[in-house]
Amino acid sequence: MAHPYHHALSSVKKWGGVVEDYLPIHSWFDESKAILADFRHRALRHHAEGIFMAERIFGNTITLSSGRVIPTRWVGEQHVREDLGRIPSFADWARAIRPEPWMGKAEKLSHLDEQPNESITS
């Protein structure tokens, strides 16, 4: 699937309603394309936690224009499965990230070294 519209068409075929019923959810999953325009954008939301996050944002259920009520989670699961063939965990994505030295480098908290704790004796 290349576009949220196509995911929404697939949702209509599966549960009824119209494209507009589903487009906000499918668009949310793919918003990360704005910061990374290749498949790696999926690491941000295309996983089990992302599906539960969509449920928190859009509610536990959505009411279709036909009046049918379906779980938001179904829509998220459909989106991720169509893109990846399965629902990975975030840990699956994280394991695939190749660590670089800069990722673990921390700056010294110099502001803590400059001013020792002063006792309050007023």
Side-chain angles (χ1 to χ4, degrees), residues 27-38:
S27 294
W28 178 83
F29 273 96
D30 286 341
E31 277 179 356
S32 52
K33 287 179 183 177
I35 58 172
L36 192 59
D38 64 32

Side-chain angles (χ1 to χ4, degrees), residues 1 3-27 75 78-79 82:
M1 295 279 164
H3 194 278
Y5 176 78
H6 297 108
H7 284 288
L9 283 174
S10 180
S11 295
V12 169
K13 188 174 182 180
K14 194 167 194 137
W15 298 296
V18 297
V19 166
E20 292 75 16
D21 293 335
Y22 305 97
L23 207 49
I25 298 170
H26 291 301
S27 294
V75 181
Q78 172 223 339
H79 186 108
E82 286 177 350

Side-chain angles (χ1 to χ4, degrees), residues 5 12 16 22-23 25 46 51 54 63 66-67 83 95 110 114 119:
Y5 176 78
V12 169
Y22 305 97
L23 207 49
I25 298 170
H46 286 60
I51 293 167
T63 302
S66 64
D83 280 351
R95 277 192 294 274
S110 58
E114 292 173 1
S119 60

Side-chain angles (χ1 to χ4, degrees), residues 104-114:
K105 188 173 185 168
E107 292 274 332
K108 187 174 182 182
L109 298 176
S110 58
H111 69 280
L112 294 177
D113 293 336
E114 292 173 1

